[in-house]
Amino acid sequence: MEMGADIIAGALAAMQTYPHKNLLVVDLGTITTITPLTKNRECLGSTFIPGIGTAMNSFAVKATKLFAVEIITPKKCLGRSTAESMQAGLFFGHLGAIKEIIQRISAEIFPHDQPLVIATGGFAKLFEREKIFNHIEPDLILKGLKIVHKKS
């Protein structure tokens, strides 16, 4: 199985921090990756979607009349201006995708033993009030890199 160094680092840190638990590591960075890890320390693959910042950049680059907006947690799903509409779509679209992927991976891989869902990455705290994660570990990848460095 092919895996990036960031996924491996996150997996190592997650398994060390939460031993003997089924886990889903959600890394919210340039790309949002969702990686299931079994309590037996098996990494079963990953699912990738464009990160929320990457999606926002595509508005500014690909749509001639749109522009970059601040990525925020909007109060409402329905925007009343172009900027608010973009912010709502970015946030709630990403939230919906993450929830759906978590639900599907949990049903496929962990049907009888629900995983702990761990969020990391630069946009993890953006979704904190949504309560879709059991734990937010903003520096999980750095912790994993530290583990790798100590072992080498």
Side-chain angles (χ1 to χ4, degrees):
M1 179 176 7
E2 181 182 327
M3 304 213 105
D6 55 339
I7 293 173
I8 293 168
L12 287 171
M15 289 185 291
Q16 184 176 64
T17 306
Y18 305 97
H20 313 295
K21 302 274 187 196
N22 290 326
L23 305 170
L24 279 176
V25 177
V26 181
D27 185 356
L28 293 115
T30 304
I31 296 169
T32 294
T33 62
I34 302 171
T35 306
L37 307 165
T38 71
K39 58 182 147 191
N40 298 324
R41 302 179 65 86
E42 298 170 292
C43 182
L44 302 174
S46 284
T47 298
F48 292 6
I49 59 174
I52 194 168
T54 302
M56 189 276 300
N57 288 335
S58 72
F59 279 149
V61 172
K62 297 291 185 183
T64 56
K65 300 215 178 201
L66 297 181
F67 43 86
V69 295
E70 182 182 6
I71 297 172
I72 62 166
T73 304
K75 291 179 175 57
K76 297 179 181 179
C77 189
L78 189 62
R80 311 276 268 154
S81 68
T82 300
E84 285 180 0
S85 298
M86 292 167 60
Q87 289 167 325
L90 287 165
F91 179 83
F92 291 108
H94 211 67
L95 174 64
I98 293 167
K99 285 173 137 179
E100 181 70 11
I101 294 168
I102 287 171
Q103 185 273 325
R104 286 180 178 265
I105 290 175
S106 295
E108 287 175 23
I109 307 296
F110 308 115
H112 305 295
D113 190 9
Q114 290 301 298
L116 286 177
V117 181
I118 313 303
T120 191
F123 291 107
K125 291 217 179 249
L126 185 68
F127 297 94
E128 189 169 21
R129 78 173 188 191
E130 300 302 319
K131 307 290 185 215
I132 57 173
F133 309 124
N134 299 106
H135 302 281
I136 296 178
E137 301 274 348
D139 298 325
L140 191 68
I141 306 305
L142 294 175
K143 289 178 185 176
L145 291 172
K146 197 173 184 181
I147 292 167
V148 171
H149 179 71
K150 282 183 180 180
K151 289 186 179 199
S152 60

